[in-house]
Amino acid sequence: MERPILLKAHEVRGILENRQTQLRRALKVQPPLNTDRFFENEICGKSSSYREFEGLQLNGMGLGHTCFVRCPYGEPGDLLWVRETWEVCPQGCGAGKDSFHIRYRADGGMVFHDLDEGNERANYLTRVYDTRPENLPSIQMPRWASRIQLEIISVRVERLQEISETDAEAEGCYSHSQRSFPRLAPGFRDDFKRIWQEEYGKPISPRKQLSSGKQHRPESWHANPWVWVVEFKRVEA
């Protein structure tokens, strides 16, 4: 089975540069706060795209609870085709042809499409160019315009802050020494934390803090959410 996945520019560059082989995404619905462990699918008896969480207490009464969470990205062997920010650049028309470049914002890479006039793809690109040719959101990228395809190797669940230096490097992060700070110890994990906080760590407004009783967003580093860890390899698109 294959499904789309939206990637940020730094993730796209990491894959193209053969630096990134893992990605993390917070579970949209987090298990109860007192959940303290999860079981792999062999124990929960469901398909391999499910994980089972178990807590030893429920509402402080010492009663166990269990919940099943399905991975939205698939299971080992499934394919993910990447959606990324893009734009359409027409290259002229004539002799029954419509010509376009698709430009990928992450690295400026371009793919040329020389299409028959009236072709479904040509009509789509013409319609896109007439409405909003630049900085098209990744969600609008069709399957045939995707240039990156990934095969899932493994899927697991863990707390965000459990990421190791090795895993942070597999996320495409840099160490301090790679960023021209040779006096500092390597910090792939520190770089991952910085990137994650830039994306998910925006402060909550005082009003929301009062209503929710929380100081941090549920996806932030400080909240330490449960995350899907998807390990992958790039395959021919």
Side-chain angles (χ1 to χ4, degrees), residues 66-199:
T66 300
C67 65
F68 295 97
V69 182
R70 185 177 187 276
C71 178
Y73 306 105
E75 53 191 89
D78 286 354
L79 298 177
L80 300 171
W81 57 274
V82 172
R83 282 175 159 166
E84 54 181 299
T85 306
W86 58 304
E87 59 187 35
V88 177
C89 310
Q91 297 298 308
C93 305
K97 291 284 187 179
D98 288 340
S99 301
F100 299 88
H101 272 110
I102 290 180
R103 181 173 181 271
Y104 302 92
R105 295 281 299 187
D107 66 336
M110 302 183 77
V111 174
F112 181 67
H113 291 265
D114 189 20
L115 304 168
D116 292 333
E117 188 174 348
N119 177 280
E120 181 180 351
R121 295 185 183 182
N123 291 338
Y124 179 80
L125 292 174
T126 300
R127 188 164 61 252
V128 167
Y129 181 75
D130 288 342
T131 54
R132 182 184 176 184
E134 298 180 352
N135 295 326
L136 289 161
S138 54
I139 192 67
Q140 293 186 12
M141 175 171 282
R143 173 68 179 91
W144 54 264
S146 175
R147 58 174 173 164
I148 301 174
Q149 184 167 271
L150 311 173
E151 180 181 339
I152 297 177
I153 297 175
S154 67
V155 179
R156 68 179 188 270
V157 180
E158 66 184 27
R159 290 285 194 179
L160 177 63
Q161 294 181 18
E162 291 177 6
I163 187 171
S164 65
E165 285 285 315
T166 301
D167 285 339
E169 184 176 9
E171 281 269 358
C173 297
Y174 291 96
S175 66
H176 288 303
S177 58
Q178 289 173 309
R179 292 189 179 279
S180 303
F181 295 103
R183 291 179 294 177
L184 298 177
F188 295 104
R189 193 171 179 273
D190 291 338
D191 196 41
F192 174 83
K193 176 182 177 181
R194 177 190 62 80
I195 294 171
W196 188 275
Q197 281 297 90
E198 287 179 355
E199 182 67 27

Side-chain angles (χ1 to χ4, degrees), residues 27-41:
L27 276 68
K28 289 188 176 181
V29 179
Q30 292 287 311
L33 291 177
N34 55 359
T35 297
D36 45 33
R37 59 178 174 167
F38 72 92
F39 295 110
E40 291 294 342
N41 54 78

